[in-house]
Amino acid sequence: MKVLYKKMLAIVVGSLLLAVGINLFLIPDRVLDGGVIGLGLIANYMWNIKVGFTIICISFPIFMLAWFTFRSYFYNSLHGLLISSFLIDFFSNVRAYHFPLDPAISSIVGGIFVGGGIGYMLRHQTSTGGTDLLAQMIAKLFKLNVGFVILFIDLAVIIAGGYLFSAQTLMLSIITITSVALTTMLITSNRVAALFSHME
């Protein structure tokens, strides 16, 4: 019961960090993140489709793959997907109160929030699903750090999105995914995980 409580708390806290990072720092400056979140942001910028809704739609085939290959990841990520997507859309109105920071600073801070949310959930064996789920499966299969896998997937999405937006957006987005990856790797590293476990 204690483990389940910690996991649900990690999902809520991680999802709130994601919602803050995306709505207060990335979207106001039209910055992209990588992976499914990045695809959700592209859909929002181009067609004004809700980010969370797009994340759920794009994540569906990845979850189907997890169901047949890594079913434990399917169960561990489903709640993270639904809660994070809901909170991202639920807190979309806070964009009107975003901090007037330099776009480069916003990209870094937004990346720290997003990476913090992703890393905190991964450390409790859950995630938002999407490419985080895909990265978990790849990392387990090839024994890689999940942060590195997320970085490579994110770069692919950013490069694709670079053709749709300005060079400034591309550069800010690269800053963001680097910040996300470094924060995720830091929080999921063994030393930091041990420190958090003592605090909990």
Side-chain angles (χ1 to χ4, degrees):
M1 182 63 69
K2 185 177 180 181
V3 174
L4 180 61
Y5 170 77
K6 285 186 175 181
K7 181 172 290 190
M8 291 306 299
L9 180 62
I11 291 173
V12 173
V13 172
S15 297
L16 285 172
L17 290 172
L18 281 169
V20 169
I22 290 170
N23 287 304
L24 282 183
F25 297 100
L26 301 187
I27 290 181
D29 289 311
R30 294 178 67 84
V31 178
L32 294 174
D33 186 23
V36 172
I37 293 176
L39 295 175
L41 290 170
I42 290 174
N44 179 264
Y45 299 156
M46 295 185 68
W47 304 294
N48 201 32
I49 302 175
K50 289 184 177 295
V51 177
F53 174 75
T54 304
I55 290 173
I56 291 177
C57 293
I58 297 175
S59 296
F60 181 77
I62 299 175
F63 270 81
M64 290 298 97
L65 176 63
W67 173 262
F68 291 108
T69 56
F70 292 90
R71 192 160 297 183
S72 62
Y73 286 170
F74 173 91
Y75 290 118
N76 288 335
S77 301
L78 182 61
H79 296 95
L81 168 70
L82 297 176
I83 293 174
S84 63
S85 297
F86 170 76
L87 289 180
I88 288 170
D89 287 346
F90 181 78
F91 285 104
S92 61
N93 289 333
V94 303
R95 297 171 196 167
Y97 308 100
H98 74 279
F99 304 105
L101 299 174
D102 180 90
I105 301 299
S106 289
S107 299
I108 294 172
V109 176
I112 291 173
F113 271 96
V114 173
I118 292 172
Y120 192 64
M121 283 192 277
L122 289 175
R123 202 173 55 78
H124 288 83
Q125 287 75 54
T126 186
S127 75
T128 58
T131 49
D132 298 335
L133 175 57
L134 184 61
Q136 279 185 288
M137 294 189 286
I138 294 173
K140 182 179 177 70
L141 189 62
F142 296 101
K143 295 180 171 52
L144 300 171
N145 183 291
V146 68
F148 284 111
V149 180
I150 290 174
L151 176 59
F152 286 121
I153 295 175
D154 288 352
L155 280 173
V157 174
I158 292 299
I159 291 172
Y163 289 103
L164 301 174
F165 302 103
S166 67
Q168 179 182 358
T169 297
L170 178 61
M171 294 305 299
L172 292 174
S173 301
I174 291 174
I175 293 173
T176 297
I177 65 168
T178 302
S179 179
V180 169
L182 291 175
T183 306
T184 301
M185 285 187 283
L186 177 64
I187 293 179
T188 57
S189 67
N190 293 332
R191 289 185 180 180
V192 175
L195 177 63
F196 271 107
S197 65
H198 287 302
M199 294 172 61
E200 293 171 351

